């Protein structure tokens, strides 16, 4: 039996867009002292634009994401879904050989990291096999 509200062939992005239309002012995310609503999802639109234009991402490219638990993680995930790019979620507590292994296993062509991870990846800064690093402070996300 189907669950109420579930329709075959819908992605998480489709369901999210439906919530944006139906409940734009309802809380989506509580982060520290911020309450972000569904209508704040425009940050993911800016992120998608920046990732496509500035990083040259194309549908099907795997992107390694090395971000802490913060709103930028959600916007990045939605942006990548809009672009059709699979996301390889990396544990931001992993360093050294374990991180290198995760990157190699993901076969990502691009890696996204927050400014807080600068030089703290455990294998010599931002030298990453088969990946390019974009940082929020480099203008890569359009300032969200």
């Amino acid at each position: 039996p189907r669950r109420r509200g579930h329709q075959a062939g819908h992605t998480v992005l489709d369901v999210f867009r439906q919530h944006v239309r139906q409940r734009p002012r309802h809380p989506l995310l509580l982060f520290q002292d911020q309450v972000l609503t569904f209508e704040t999802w425009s940050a993911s639109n800016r992120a998608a634009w920046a990732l496509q234009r500035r990083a040259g991402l194309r549908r099907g490219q795997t992107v390694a994401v090395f971000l802490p638990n913060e709103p930028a993680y959600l916007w990045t995930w939605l942006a990548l879904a809009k672009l059709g790019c699979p996301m390889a979620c990396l544990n931001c507590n992993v360093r050294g050989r374990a991180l290198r292994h995760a990157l190699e296993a993901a076969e990502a062509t691009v890696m996204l990291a927050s400014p807080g991870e600068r030089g703290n990846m455990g294998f010599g800064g931002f030298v990453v096999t088969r990946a390019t690093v974009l940082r929020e402070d480099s203008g890569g996300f359009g300032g969200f």
Side-chain angles (χ1 to χ4, degrees):
R2 282 178 130 163
R3 287 184 287 169
R4 190 172 71 108
H6 175 66
Q7 296 177 6
H10 282 244
T11 66
V12 173
L13 184 59
D14 293 332
V15 173
F16 188 83
R17 286 178 172 153
Q18 181 180 355
H19 282 280
V20 169
R21 283 191 305 275
Q22 294 174 346
R23 307 170 178 82
R25 291 188 175 83
H26 282 107
L28 163 66
L29 184 65
L30 304 173
F31 181 73
Q32 297 173 353
D33 60 349
Q34 297 176 313
V35 177
L36 301 169
T37 63
F38 280 96
E39 65 189 350
T40 62
W41 92 304
S42 63
S44 68
N45 293 333
R46 289 191 306 272
W49 182 89
L51 291 169
Q52 189 173 42
R53 298 292 175 134
R54 296 183 185 165
L57 286 184
R58 300 288 176 251
R59 177 174 294 283
Q61 274 185 284
T62 300
V63 178
V65 177
F66 193 67
L67 296 171
N69 187 13
E70 59 186 25
Y73 189 93
L74 177 61
W75 308 146
T76 301
W77 177 55
L78 291 168
L80 292 172
K82 290 175 187 178
L83 295 174
C85 295
M87 182 169 137
C89 306
L90 302 177
N91 182 334
C92 64
N93 295 311
V94 173
R95 299 289 188 269
R97 290 191 340 203
L99 179 57
R100 182 183 303 272
H101 172 75
L103 286 168
E104 290 172 355
E107 297 182 0
T109 56
V110 175
M111 178 179 169
L112 304 178
S114 72
E117 300 304 329
R118 179 180 294 130
N120 192 22
M121 292 188 187
F123 55 85
F126 286 127
V127 179
V128 180
T129 306
R130 291 186 306 259
T132 301
V133 178
L134 294 178
R135 293 187 309 269
E136 199 171 350
D137 66 337
S138 68
F141 294 123
F144 72 82

